[in-house]
């Protein structure tokens, strides 16, 4: 695993720990002290690139270092194309990585992100 992905995974683990401390709070935008514009930007950044819903079992791209989306959506994408769905890199499939620990973060943010259709 590249050092940037290891660093991202460590950061995700720290974020997951912080989110667990705030699980009893229902309004994440207030706790995070976000303006409405920044909160909307954060919400959009956490959505699955492919289904546009809340990200479940997040997968990141090794090529563009971006959140791609849900592992199930990314798997479906890679059945049809080996290219990265975000940057179109031809080695996207080989470089995609599941981020352990972020699933709990995204689950905790569901009230802010909205529910997905498969819940």
């Amino acid at each position: 695993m590249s050092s940037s992905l290891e660093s991202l995974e460590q950061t995700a683990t720290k974020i997951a720990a912080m989110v667990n401390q705030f699980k009893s709070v229902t309004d994440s935008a207030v706790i995070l002290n976000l303006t409405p514009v920044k909160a909307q930007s954060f919400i959009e950044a956490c959505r699955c690139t492919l289904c546009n819903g809340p990200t479940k079992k997040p997968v990141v791209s090794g090529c563009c270092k971006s959140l791609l989306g849900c592992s199930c959506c990314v798997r479906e994408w890679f059945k049809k194309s080996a290219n990265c769905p975000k940057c179109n890199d031809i080695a996207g499939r080989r470089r995609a990585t599941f981020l352990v620990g972020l699933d709990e973060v995204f689950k905790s943010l569901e009230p802010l992100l909205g529910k997905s259709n498969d819940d």
Side-chain angles (χ1 to χ4, degrees):
M1 186 183 302
S2 72
S3 62
S4 61
L5 285 178
E6 288 172 347
S7 174
L8 187 57
E9 187 172 11
Q10 289 172 352
T11 301
T13 301
K14 289 177 186 177
I15 291 170
M18 290 186 316
V19 167
N20 282 333
Q21 292 175 351
F22 296 112
K23 271 191 172 175
S24 62
V25 179
T26 58
D27 189 354
S28 299
V30 171
I31 284 298
L32 296 173
N33 198 24
L34 298 175
T35 65
V37 171
K38 287 182 180 179
Q40 187 61 37
S41 178
F42 179 75
I43 290 166
E44 293 306 315
C46 293
R47 289 194 179 282
C48 174
T49 303
L50 301 165
C51 74
N52 201 34
T55 300
K56 296 195 181 235
K57 297 183 180 176
V59 175
V60 294
S61 167
C63 41
C64 59
K65 310 289 189 269
S66 298
L67 175 67
L68 296 178
C70 309
S71 62
C72 60
C73 295
V74 173
R75 265 196 312 274
E76 285 300 312
W77 172 270
F78 286 140
K79 285 180 183 178
K80 299 172 187 163
S81 173
N83 295 10
C84 173
K86 259 214 167 146
C87 72
N88 207 31
D89 184 281
I90 59 172
R93 182 184 329 201
R94 290 189 318 232
R95 295 182 179 171
T97 304
F98 174 71
L99 285 179
V100 177
L102 270 187
D103 202 31
E104 278 299 312
V105 172
F106 282 93
K107 188 173 179 80
S108 298
L109 294 173
E110 278 185 2
L112 183 63
L113 299 173
K115 295 279 185 194
S116 66
N117 293 333
D118 61 342
D119 282 343

